[in-house]
Amino acid sequence: MLSNETGDLLALFSGQPPGDPVSVFHFGFELGDADDVREARERLTEAGVRELEWEDDWMTRLRVADPDGYGVELFFSG
């Protein structure tokens, strides 16, 4: 596990990935504002990327699946 003074955390596990990755196994990226997340959602949808979750109320958050089924989260919580 790697962390820094701002609270970022990276945890890596050895071995084969689980057959059905659970939601805690994901990468998250905070974008500049909510519109950036909405625009990314449009581009990813047009590209055929599988959407796992979408939230656009108290925060704007999109989670999609990478080719191995792991979640990649784009969010803005401003």
Side-chain angles (χ1 to χ4, degrees), residues 20-76:
D20 185 19
V22 294
S23 64
V24 295
F25 296 136
H26 73 281
F27 286 97
F29 302 94
E30 184 168 15
L31 302 186
D33 60 37
D35 285 335
D36 289 342
V37 180
R38 292 181 193 107
E39 290 169 10
R41 182 184 191 212
E42 287 180 28
R43 288 192 311 273
L44 292 167
T45 299
E46 289 172 4
V49 175
R50 182 169 58 112
E51 185 174 297
L52 301 174
E53 293 180 63
W54 170 247
E55 184 174 346
D56 195 11
D57 45 30
W58 69 275
M59 74 180 294
T60 304
R61 182 172 72 92
L62 170 66
R63 184 178 278 184
V64 297
D66 79 357
D68 292 322
Y70 287 96
V72 177
E73 183 175 3
L74 305 175
F75 69 96
F76 178 74

